[in-house]
Amino acid sequence: MKNLLEFLRRYHHWFLFVLLEALSMVLLFKYNSYQGSVWFSSANAVMGHVYEWTSGVESFFKLGKANEELMLRNYYLERQVTQLRRLYGDATRHTDPKEQRELDYLGQYKLVPAKVVSSELHHADNLMTINRGSADGIEPGMGVACGQGIVGVTYLTGSHYTVVIPVLNRTSSRISCAIRGHQYFGVLRWYGGDAGHAFVEDIPRHARFKRGDWVETNGYSSIFPEGVLVGQIVEVYNSRDGLSYKLKVKLSTDFGNLRDVVVITDKSIAERVRLMQAARDSLKLNVRE
């Protein structure tokens, strides 16, 4: 208390000066119209900038809440759109013919529906994760497809999630396929870059086909049944050695908008392939004899 009194005694003339200045300013702006209008305009401008700044700060800290509310609203709207689409389809029986044919064909096999929870598009060796695992009967080496066509092959399986090697994997994806309506088959590969196109290699030179023909799985592997859509031929090239064709195929599956898939868990595919191979081997032996 003694120090405070000493401080006030030492600097009281400064406090008196500030008080008198403030009083004179009040008298000046209050009883003079011109000075009052200048003060009012200036004060409004300053306070306007202050309010604008504080409003911006407040809005920034409320962005998280606004984004959360927007996400929830979008979720509910998506649910409503899905329900309306389903009701409309049931009422009119109207679906995309190509996608419906693909789903009907896949329906002959044992399928496990799944959701894509993460997907890569812009790497050389892209991977995908789905929300089904060993608890749902998923094993490594099973085919993955959707209503539009082929997707990939299961790779690593956990209890509730599975990593899939999609067609868009430059190193590990090799899928046997054929030109629809012909017995000419080759291997589907992706070279990176464009996520909408891949290539079918090793098509024999005597093959007869044209641009616009469809490519599908040929059923010669134990992963995919015959007839799962791959894509449409858009360009034809010669192989490096000139002994076969290389086809550029526009993929039927839109990997950038892929959400729902099915895993083909029917082990009878492998059994049929083994029986077919055994029959071919038996015929070869009989011919040699």
Side-chain angles (χ1 to χ4, degrees), residues 120-139:
E120 300 172 342
L121 291 177
H122 306 295
H123 302 289
D125 296 321
N126 295 301
L127 295 174
M128 180 185 299
T129 303
I130 59 176
N131 65 342
R132 293 290 184 269
S134 57
D136 306 289
I138 309 300
E139 298 177 1

Side-chain angles (χ1 to χ4, degrees), residues 158 193 275:
L275 288 173

Side-chain angles (χ1 to χ4, degrees), residues 9-165:
R9 186 188 65 79
R10 181 177 299 179
Y11 298 104
H12 68 280
H13 52 281
W14 288 109
F15 291 113
L16 181 60
F17 172 77
V18 171
L19 179 62
L20 293 176
E21 283 290 327
L23 180 61
S24 63
M25 295 291 288
V26 169
L27 295 176
L28 175 66
F29 292 119
K30 185 175 182 179
Y31 295 104
N32 293 276
S33 57
Y34 174 74
Q35 286 83 354
S37 62
V38 170
W39 164 256
F40 184 76
S41 300
S42 301
N44 278 348
V46 172
M47 291 307 297
H49 288 297
V50 172
Y51 288 144
E52 183 179 2
W53 181 80
T54 55
S55 177
V57 172
E58 185 178 0
S59 298
F60 175 79
F61 285 106
K62 288 184 177 179
L63 281 177
K65 181 65 176 178
N67 287 336
E68 182 180 349
E69 293 176 354
L70 182 61
M71 182 190 66
L72 289 174
R73 177 172 287 273
N74 286 340
Y75 171 76
Y76 288 123
L77 289 175
E78 287 290 342
R79 290 285 301 275
Q80 291 175 4
V81 169
T82 301
Q83 292 172 0
L84 289 174
R85 187 185 295 117
R86 186 183 301 112
L87 291 173
Y88 176 76
D90 292 340
T92 63
R93 302 297 179 187
H94 174 73
T95 55
D96 181 72
K98 177 170 68 69
E99 185 169 348
Q100 187 59 49
R101 285 196 301 270
E102 199 67 25
L103 289 172
D104 291 341
Y105 180 80
L106 289 171
Q108 304 172 30
Y109 299 89
K110 295 179 181 178
L111 307 176
V112 175
K115 295 281 187 182
V116 176
V117 296
S118 69
S119 181
E120 300 172 342
L121 291 177
H122 306 295
H123 302 289
D125 296 321
N126 295 301
L127 295 174
M128 180 185 299
T129 303
I130 59 176
N131 65 342
R132 293 290 184 269
S134 57
D136 306 289
I138 309 300
E139 298 177 1
M142 289 181 169
V144 182
C146 67
Q148 297 173 325
I150 195 171
V151 174
V153 180
T154 58
Y155 178 51
L156 294 176
T157 304
S159 297
H160 303 289
Y161 294 93
T162 296
V163 175
V164 176
I165 295 177

